[in-house]
């Protein structure tokens, strides 16, 4: 019963961003629901601007407070420092910045397509902000109960977003994601119950301190419990072999929702797993870190090999995102938070840009095949140049130096931890990834088919894609920016 005593203090600045996001979500829903006298276009504009303003507030707050330490919902511990349920610190600031930037990019993409895609605008932005509340809570969580609550607040709105278009493919994708999420949550809660049983606490700092003092029998129980928790997160982030739901869900969702799943939802899952591994469940030297390393090797290999076979742009990005999760898990397995956050930042920016380019193309050619991009360098050089830049960043090729530097940091973290076998697997997958992305790039340079590609790109899409390209270019020139996000 020790964990149920009254909490004693909270620095409310630590929860300012989640609170403002939650208030913004309710305001967006009320405006769209009760302001029916205005035209749909005006409501769309107001709702979008309010969503952008709320997210920008979060980014300004994170920038202003990035070096501070602000705990929330804390109590004095029986042993060691105070136990807190949520903490804002430099690592939290870096993760929040990545999540908020990704969400801002998705909102920009939504401004381009949303009205024409027959999606309810108010509900869409409400669900997006609600999921972002859970994502920020998850990144700052420091006890297992808050981790589970944050993860579910991310997941439940995401399922609803997948089905917003109300067609067969969207409903099927949402149902698959929901069923997998229910299973993963059950597995995770099973592990958490045993962790609480052997350590007597839900606070990550206390769990980390008590794991080293357990007797051998209980240590084996703790290992199994931690394994169940990691498996639960494996389902959420689509790590292999828990990835089967992701491709169909990505294809069934509207492109802007797919971008949200690939950027914000996936980043939230990686952030939560990073917090668990570095703060409590798998301290340095734990055998669970070896499990995460094995997951990393499997995930990047299966994801990249499957991406080689795809003929649709969204499916290729879906399998590619699984491969990228493998590269994120590699430094996570050795507890290198800077390498994880830096890689995540570069991935988020270029993935939003790539989905923006896909959204433009699919608005004119709904088939979504890679062959639809044939000859785009000649007919649409600006859009093609931006897409090529995003793909080479994902591949880690110059001039996309942001991807190169983040991959190098991941390699360095693994080599410093003496995991030579994982570094070899990563090197092989870098080569496979080159084949994946260059196959798409080659289509852009091929002679166009009988029907030359031409699009009318609206200003929101131009602004969003240009901003993503400019940000990726700045990160390529100033790579230290990527790794200053986590200290």
């Amino acid at each position: 019963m020790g964990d149920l005593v009254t909490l004693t203090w909270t620095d409310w600045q630590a929860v300012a961003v989640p609170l403002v996001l939650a208030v913004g979500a309710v305001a967006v829903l009320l405006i769209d629901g009760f302001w029916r006298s205005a035209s749909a276009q005006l409501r769309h504009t107001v709702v979008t601007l309010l969503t952008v303003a709320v997210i920008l507030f979060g980014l300004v707050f994170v920038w202003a407070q990035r070096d501070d330490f602000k705990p929330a919902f804390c109590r004095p511990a029986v042993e060691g420092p105070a136990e807190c349920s949520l903490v804002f610190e430099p690592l939290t600031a870096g993760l929040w910045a990545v999540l908020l930037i990704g969400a801002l990019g998705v909102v920009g993409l939504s401004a381009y397509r949303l009205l024409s895609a027959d999606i309810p605008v108010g509900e869409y932005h409400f669900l997006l902000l609600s999921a972002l509340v859970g994502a920020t809570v998850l990144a700052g969580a420091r006890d297992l109960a808050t981790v589970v609550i944050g993860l579910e607040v991310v997941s439940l709105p995401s399922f609803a977003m997948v089905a917003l278009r109300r067609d067969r493919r969207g409903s099927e994708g949402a149902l698959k994601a929901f069923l997998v999420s229910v299973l993963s949550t059950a597995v995770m809660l099973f592990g958490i119950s045993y962790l609480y049983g052997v350590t007597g606490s839900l606070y990550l700092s206390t769990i980390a301190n008590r794991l080293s003092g357990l007797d051998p029998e209980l240590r084996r129980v703790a290992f199994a419990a931690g394994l169940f928790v990691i498996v639960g997160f494996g389902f959420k982030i689509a790590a292999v072999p828990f990835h089967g739901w992701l491709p169909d869900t990505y294809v069934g969702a509207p492109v802007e929702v797919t971008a949200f799943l690939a950027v914000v939802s996936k980043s939230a899952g990686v952030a939560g797993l990073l917090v668990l591994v570095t703060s409590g469940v798998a301290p340095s030297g734990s055998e669970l870190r070896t499990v995460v390393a094995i997951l990393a090797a499997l995930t990047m290999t299966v994801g990249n090999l499957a991406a080689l076979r795809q003929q649709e742009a969204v499916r290729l990005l879906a399998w590619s995102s699984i491969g990228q999760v493998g590269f994120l898990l590699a430094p996570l397995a050795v507890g290198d938070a800077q390498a994880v956050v830096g890689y995540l930042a570069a991935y988020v920016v270029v993935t939003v840009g790539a989905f923006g380019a896909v959204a433009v193309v699919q608005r004119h050619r709904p088939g979504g095949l890679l062959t639809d991009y044939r000859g785009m360098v000649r007919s649409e050089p600006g859009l093609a140049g931006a897409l090529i830049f995003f793909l080479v960043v994902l591949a880690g090729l110059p001039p996309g130096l942001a991807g190169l530097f983040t991959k190098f940091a991941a390699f360095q973290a693994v080599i410093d931890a003496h995991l030579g076998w994982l570094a070899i697997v990563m090197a092989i997958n870098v080569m496979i990834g080159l084949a994946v992305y260059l196959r798409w790039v080659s289509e852009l340079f091929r002679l166009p088919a009988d029907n030359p590609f031409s699009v009318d790109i609206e200003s929101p899409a131009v602004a969003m894609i240009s901003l993503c390209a400019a940000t990726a270019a700045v990160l390529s020139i100033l790579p230290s920016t990527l790794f200053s996000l986590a200290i």
Side-chain angles (χ1 to χ4, degrees):
M1 297 295 291
D3 284 333
L4 302 180
V5 299
T6 304
L7 303 175
T8 55
W9 77 85
T10 293
D11 187 334
W12 288 101
Q13 291 186 59
V15 294
V17 171
L19 282 176
V20 170
L21 290 172
V23 171
V26 175
V28 160
L29 191 63
L30 291 176
I31 289 172
D32 184 70
F34 291 97
W35 194 23
R36 289 296 175 182
S37 59
S39 65
Q41 182 63 56
L42 179 59
R43 288 202 313 275
H44 183 193
T45 302
V46 171
V47 164
T48 300
L49 290 177
L50 178 57
T51 303
V52 169
V54 169
I55 296 173
L56 286 176
F57 165 82
L59 283 171
V60 171
F61 178 89
V62 167
W63 175 259
Q65 308 290 334
R66 63 190 183 279
D67 296 324
D68 292 348
F69 179 87
K70 300 179 184 299
F73 310 114
C74 301
R75 66 166 199 180
V78 177
E79 53 188 60
E83 297 173 325
C84 300
S85 293
L86 191 143
V87 169
F88 179 86
E89 58 184 354
L91 175 59
T92 311
L95 292 170
W96 283 9
V98 170
L99 291 165
L100 293 168
I101 290 171
L104 195 60
V106 173
V107 173
L109 171 59
S110 306
Y112 168 64
R113 277 177 49 93
L114 211 55
L115 279 179
S116 63
D118 193 27
I119 294 174
V121 175
E123 288 91 328
Y124 172 82
H125 286 89
F126 166 74
L127 293 170
L128 186 150
L129 288 174
S130 298
L132 198 55
V133 172
T136 52
V137 169
L138 182 60
R142 294 299 182 270
D143 77 67
L144 292 174
T146 306
V147 166
V148 173
I149 292 170
L151 194 57
E152 290 309 299
V153 175
V154 176
S155 300
L156 294 176
S158 300
F159 309 147
M161 291 172 72
V162 172
L164 275 178
R165 200 162 49 191
R166 299 185 177 93
D167 60 5
R168 184 186 63 80
R169 297 182 76 182
S171 300
E172 179 184 345
L175 182 60
K176 285 183 178 180
F178 174 74
L179 293 176
V180 168
S181 177
V182 170
L183 175 62
S184 65
T185 301
V187 171
M188 190 184 308
L189 288 173
F190 183 78
I192 288 173
S193 66
Y194 273 86
L195 271 177
Y196 180 78
V198 297
T199 62
S201 179
L202 292 176
Y203 292 96
L204 295 177
S205 58
T206 304
I207 289 173
N209 291 333
R210 294 179 181 176
L211 283 176
S212 58
L214 295 176
D215 63 59
E217 291 295 329
L218 288 180
R219 196 170 298 172
R220 282 193 284 271
V221 175
F223 172 81
L227 185 61
F228 278 115
V229 174
I230 291 173
V231 166
F233 265 94
F235 279 106
K236 300 289 188 181
I237 63 175
V240 175
F242 317 111
H243 64 290
W245 61 274
L246 184 137
D248 289 341
T249 299
Y250 276 27
V251 172
V255 174
E256 49 278 327
V257 175
T258 304
F260 177 83
L261 296 175
V263 172
V264 179
S265 182
K266 191 176 291 289
S267 297
V270 171
L273 188 56
L274 175 64
V275 168
L276 283 177
V277 168
T278 57
S279 299
V281 174
S284 181
S286 171
E287 294 175 347
L288 287 172
R289 294 201 174 187
T290 304
V291 173
V292 177
I294 294 171
L295 278 180
L298 285 173
T299 302
M300 67 178 72
T301 303
V302 173
N304 285 326
L305 287 175
L308 273 175
R309 302 172 56 248
Q310 304 307 314
Q311 302 300 322
E312 298 179 26
V314 173
R315 280 194 181 274
L316 187 148
L317 287 174
W319 284 103
S320 161
S321 73
I322 294 174
Q324 296 292 341
V325 165
F327 280 100
L328 282 163
L329 288 175
L332 192 153
V334 299
D336 191 330
Q338 279 191 314
V340 174
V341 178
Y343 198 111
L344 201 57
Y347 165 80
V348 162
V349 171
V350 297
T351 300
V352 171
F355 274 108
V358 169
V360 171
V361 175
Q362 287 201 0
R363 186 163 185 174
H364 296 267
R365 295 192 174 182
L369 298 175
L370 293 181
T371 52
D372 291 339
Y373 297 78
R374 186 167 293 174
M376 202 163 78
V377 165
R378 295 173 179 82
S379 58
E380 296 291 341
L383 181 62
L387 179 56
I388 290 169
F389 184 55
F390 298 138
L391 294 176
V392 298
V393 172
L394 287 171
L397 286 175
L401 296 178
L404 178 63
F405 287 127
T406 51
K407 278 187 168 59
F408 178 80
F411 270 102
Q412 190 65 49
V414 169
I415 292 170
D416 289 345
H418 308 292
L419 293 178
W421 66 270
L422 182 55
I424 293 172
V425 174
M426 292 171 68
I428 294 171
N429 276 278
V430 167
M431 304 307 295
I432 300 173
L434 291 179
V436 170
Y437 298 114
L438 292 181
R439 185 165 69 94
W440 193 348
V441 171
S442 69
E443 291 289 347
L444 299 172
F445 283 95
R446 287 185 178 180
L447 291 175
D450 296 335
N451 182 17
F453 185 88
S454 179
V455 297
D456 179 21
I457 309 176
E458 298 179 12
S459 54
V462 172
M464 189 272 293
I465 294 172
S466 300
L467 185 59
C468 288
T471 304
V474 170
L475 295 177
S476 297
I477 297 169
L478 302 172
S480 60
T481 308
L482 288 165
F483 305 109
S484 64
L485 289 171
I487 300 176

